[in-house]
């Protein structure tokens, strides 16, 4: 079976490469010539652990090719995936579906009869039906099928998530579509991965409901963290306690500076808009968005407070700019709210991130970049951990304390043990726990 993947963004590239690893012949298409040129040199345009190796292996095995020739790639395919972006529209937060519809129109012209068109982009309910109408209007004489196949990949562990998913969701409207997708996911079926075959609408809603629920779960534990700080609790112990209840589950209960990334902020906004537009307001999701937005600002204020009554002129060393570890992605990262707020208060900010510099440099004017983690601690009045990269976990806290001008660590990811920080002679402010002072 020949697969063509339209869009070599995060979702399209990882999915295309992984389907080629399953042994299918995959062509990845993008209009961005620079991206395709890079891929032809077997270099991934995104940072994702393991992806470069899979690209090289499958290209050399002859399963994986890259092109800007849209029509030729569609014409040779049995299954065409649409994996183009659905960014938030400015102003109303709704998903911009114009790239999806444009791809559908172009597919209609180039496809051969009985092509199965699969929408992988995250799209609001009803979009797959519209894609069907668009293609049918362009080629009323040609039989084809539409499927919905949302993805649940996490950046940083996308390949593992693709190869070992909790489930695969497939929305179909006919047997041809179902058969094609069952065949594509057969390697996972052999591993007993549940494949949920449902309607187009159910598949579309499932994607948003899953992300909205996870965003809500994180926001819930963040609010519990606030309470723990006030009353002398410890959010990590409370999270373990509730997480052991199988109905709740222990995952996605790490309190932190608020969720970011390219998915949760965009998808919660789009889902809330869908609810409003359809007379079914999603009030929990609306509250989640508001609480999460406020939290990022609140985190900056905590760091400012740690600097004392006159933060202007003080120096903060920041560890981590990416929205989470193992990615260079900074979209909607808490750092993009926190750093400008510090800089705006007259604070000198010096930061390190192992991967995000290229993506973040122009977004964070007025911030200085350091090549090494210890460099950010030099002369810092406070050090703030914004992303839980592994290399920060093992830093020598005494060495850090010796280099700092001040004595406070603000750990927004709870990566250190309070005893260790205090033993190094530093004050420790973390999330969902009391503050620990070096002198107490
Ligand atoms: C998320 C979902 O986890 C994927 O299943 C989904 O496919 C993807 O969105 C998408 O829709 O494309 P991703 O954005 O890559 O994946 O990252 P996550 O690991 O889910 O983290 C999202 C944010 O939540 C990060 O800012 C992270 O720091 C934060 N988070 C996550 C917490 O603050 N606490 C947690 O316990 C977990």
């Amino acid at each position: 079976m020949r697969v063509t993947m339209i869009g070599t963004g995060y979702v399209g590239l990882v999915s295309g490469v992984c389907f080629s690893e399953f042994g299918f012949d995959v062509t990845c298409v993008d209009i961005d010539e620079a991206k395709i040129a890079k891929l032809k040199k077997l270099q991934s345009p995104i940072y994702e652990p393991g992806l470069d190796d899979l690209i090289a292996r499958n290209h050399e095995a002859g399963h994986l090719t890259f092109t800007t020739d849209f029509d030729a790639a569609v014409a040779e395919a049995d299954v065409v995936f649409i994996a183009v972006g659905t960014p938030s529209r400015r102003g109303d937060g709704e998903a911009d579906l114009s790239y999806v519809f444009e791809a559908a129109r172009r597919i209609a012209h180039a496809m051969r009869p009985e092509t199965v068109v699969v929408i992988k982009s995250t799209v609001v309910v009803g979009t797959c039906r519209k894609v069907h109408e668009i293609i049918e209007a362009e080629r009323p004489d040609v039989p084809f099928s539409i499927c919905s196949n949302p993805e649940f990949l996490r950046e940083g562990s996308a390949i593992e998530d693709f190869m070992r998913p909790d489930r695969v969701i497939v929305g179909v409207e006919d047997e041809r579509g179902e058969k094609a997708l069952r065949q594509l996911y057969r390697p996972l079926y052999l591993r007993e991965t549940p494949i949920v075959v449902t309607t187009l609408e159910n598949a579309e809603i499932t994607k948003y409901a899953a992300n909205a629920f996870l965003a809500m779960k994180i926001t819930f534990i963040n609010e519990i963290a606030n309470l723990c700080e006030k009353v002398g609790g410890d959010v990590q112990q409370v999270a373990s306690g509730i997480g052991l209840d199988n109905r709740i589950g222990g995952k996605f209960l790490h309190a932190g500076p608020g969720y970011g990334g390219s998915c949760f902020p965009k998808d919660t906004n789009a889902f809330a808009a869908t609810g409003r537009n359809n007379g079914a307001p999603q009030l929990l999701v609306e509250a989640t968005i508001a609480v999460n937005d406020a939290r990022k600002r609140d985190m900056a204020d905590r760091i400012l407070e740690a600097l004392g009554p006159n933060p202007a002129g003080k120096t903060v060393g920041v560890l981590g700019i990416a929205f989470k570890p193992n990615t260079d992605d900074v979209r909607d990262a808490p750092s993009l709210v926190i750093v400008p707020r510090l800089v705006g208060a007259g604070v000198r900010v010096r930061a390190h991130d192992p991967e995000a510099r290229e993506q973040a440099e122009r977004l964070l004017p007025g911030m200085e970049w350091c090549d090494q983690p210890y460099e950010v601690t030099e002369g810092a009045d406070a050090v703030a951990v914004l992303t839980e990269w592994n290399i920060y976990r093992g830093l020598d806290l005494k060495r850090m304390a010796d280099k700092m001008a001040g004595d406070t660590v603000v750990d927004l990811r709870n990566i250190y043990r309070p005893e260790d920080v205090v033993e190094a002679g530093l004050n420790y402010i973390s999330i969902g726990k009391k503050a620990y002072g070096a002198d107490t």
Side-chain angles (χ1 to χ4, degrees):
M1 198 155 54
R2 295 198 63 91
V3 174
T4 286
M5 190 65 66
I6 309 291
T8 58
Y10 207 85
V11 173
L13 185 60
V14 171
S15 306
V17 171
C18 288
F19 279 131
S20 76
E21 176 74 6
F22 284 171
F24 298 107
D25 290 325
V26 177
T27 304
C28 293
V29 185
D30 208 293
I31 47 167
D32 184 336
E33 293 192 4
K35 245 188 202 178
I36 293 296
K38 205 166 177 196
L39 283 163
K40 280 185 173 166
K41 283 190 235 150
L42 307 184
Q43 291 163 5
S44 169
I46 53 168
Y47 173 78
E48 180 64 32
L51 192 57
D52 278 318
D53 288 347
L54 284 191
I55 290 174
R57 186 160 76 222
N58 288 292
H59 180 75
E60 274 149 29
H63 295 312
L64 182 63
T65 49
F66 304 100
T67 183
T68 51
D69 189 343
F70 189 106
D71 290 357
V74 169
E76 67 181 18
D78 302 300
V79 180
V80 179
F81 279 86
I82 300 180
V84 297
T86 53
S88 271
R89 254 183 358 213
R90 270 179 208 286
D92 59 11
E94 289 188 41
D96 178 355
L97 297 170
S98 55
Y99 300 110
V100 173
F101 295 149
E102 177 57 20
R105 269 185 285 274
R106 293 191 63 186
I107 290 168
H109 288 288
M111 70 181 189
R112 62 186 187 203
E114 307 206 345
T115 298
V116 174
V117 179
V118 188
I119 289 94
K120 210 169 212 344
S121 305
T122 299
V123 293
V124 290
V125 59
T127 305
C128 292
R129 296 263 169 230
K130 276 194 198 136
V131 168
H132 186 121
E133 284 163 20
I134 288 170
I135 297 180
E136 197 166 43
E138 305 276 336
R139 297 282 297 278
D141 49 324
V142 174
F144 65 93
S145 304
I146 296 289
C147 299
S148 163
N149 177 218
E151 56 80 25
F152 299 95
L153 312 175
R154 285 164 302 169
E155 290 187 22
S157 48
I159 292 163
E160 178 66 14
D161 285 351
F162 193 96
M163 298 294 180
R164 296 177 197 282
D166 291 339
R167 80 311 201 180
V168 173
I169 304 287
V170 170
V172 299
E173 54 176 8
D174 59 21
E175 258 179 48
R176 181 172 44 226
E178 178 174 347
K179 212 174 135 204
L181 279 166
R182 280 198 189 276
Q183 200 181 330
L184 272 178
Y185 284 109
R186 201 171 148 66
L188 298 181
Y189 184 71
L190 298 175
R191 276 195 203 135
E192 299 188 0
T193 304
I195 311 246
V196 179
V197 179
T198 182
T199 63
L200 297 177
E201 286 76 11
N202 286 340
E204 291 168 326
I205 297 172
T206 301
K207 165 68 190 188
Y208 276 107
N211 273 3
F213 192 88
L214 292 170
M216 194 172 71
K217 198 172 177 189
I218 296 166
T219 307
F220 178 83
I221 203 67
N222 284 342
E223 290 207 309
I224 300 288
N226 289 344
L227 180 65
C228 287
E229 286 159 19
K230 298 279 185 216
V231 300
D234 179 335
V235 73
Q236 282 168 301
Q237 294 193 24
V238 176
S240 306
I242 62 173
L244 285 168
D245 184 328
N246 279 335
R247 292 169 302 177
I248 297 173
K251 292 182 182 163
F252 276 63
L253 285 178
H254 299 290
Y259 60 79
S262 65
C263 305
F264 288 170
K266 171 172 79 74
D267 292 353
T268 45
N269 274 309
F271 196 48
T274 302
R276 288 193 300 271
N277 294 343
N278 288 281
Q282 299 297 304
L283 298 182
L284 292 175
V285 182
E286 306 263 11
T288 296
I289 295 165
V291 171
N292 193 63
D293 285 347
R295 185 165 186 83
K296 293 179 185 171
R297 297 190 291 273
D298 180 48
M299 292 296 123
D301 294 344
R302 282 186 195 200
I303 299 169
L304 289 173
E305 263 168 45
L307 293 173
N310 300 309
K314 299 242 167 102
T315 301
V316 170
V318 167
L319 293 171
I321 292 293
F323 85 98
K324 67 172 190 175
N326 297 327
T327 178
D328 61 352
D329 201 337
V330 295
R331 284 175 284 179
D332 275 312
S335 62
L336 298 191
V337 174
I338 295 170
V339 170
R341 211 164 162 91
L342 298 180
V343 171
V347 173
R348 178 178 178 213
V349 182
R350 306 177 72 236
H352 172 265
D353 190 284
E355 296 294 338
R357 183 169 179 169
E358 202 184 317
Q359 301 292 335
E361 206 147 22
R362 73 188 164 79
L363 300 172
L364 293 172
M367 191 188 83
E368 296 162 43
W369 288 89
C370 300
D371 293 331
Q372 298 298 328
Y374 285 113
E375 223 181 301
V376 311
T377 67
E378 274 163 29
D381 294 288
V383 167
V385 180
L386 267 52
T387 316
E388 67 278 32
W389 284 96
N390 271 341
I391 49 160
Y392 302 149
R393 293 177 190 272
L395 291 182
D396 180 339
L397 295 164
K398 286 210 173 69
R399 187 171 158 197
M400 193 152 136
D402 289 345
K403 286 175 178 285
M404 287 173 66
D407 56 8
T408 302
V409 172
V410 185
D411 178 1
L412 301 182
R413 297 291 185 169
N414 288 350
I415 62 171
Y416 299 125
R417 292 190 329 147
E419 316 71 285
D420 296 342
V421 183
V422 168
E423 205 191 306
L426 295 164
N427 300 313
Y428 187 54
I429 297 169
S430 59
I431 297 290
K433 290 179 215 183
K434 69 178 176 112
Y436 290 79
D439 324 316
T440 52

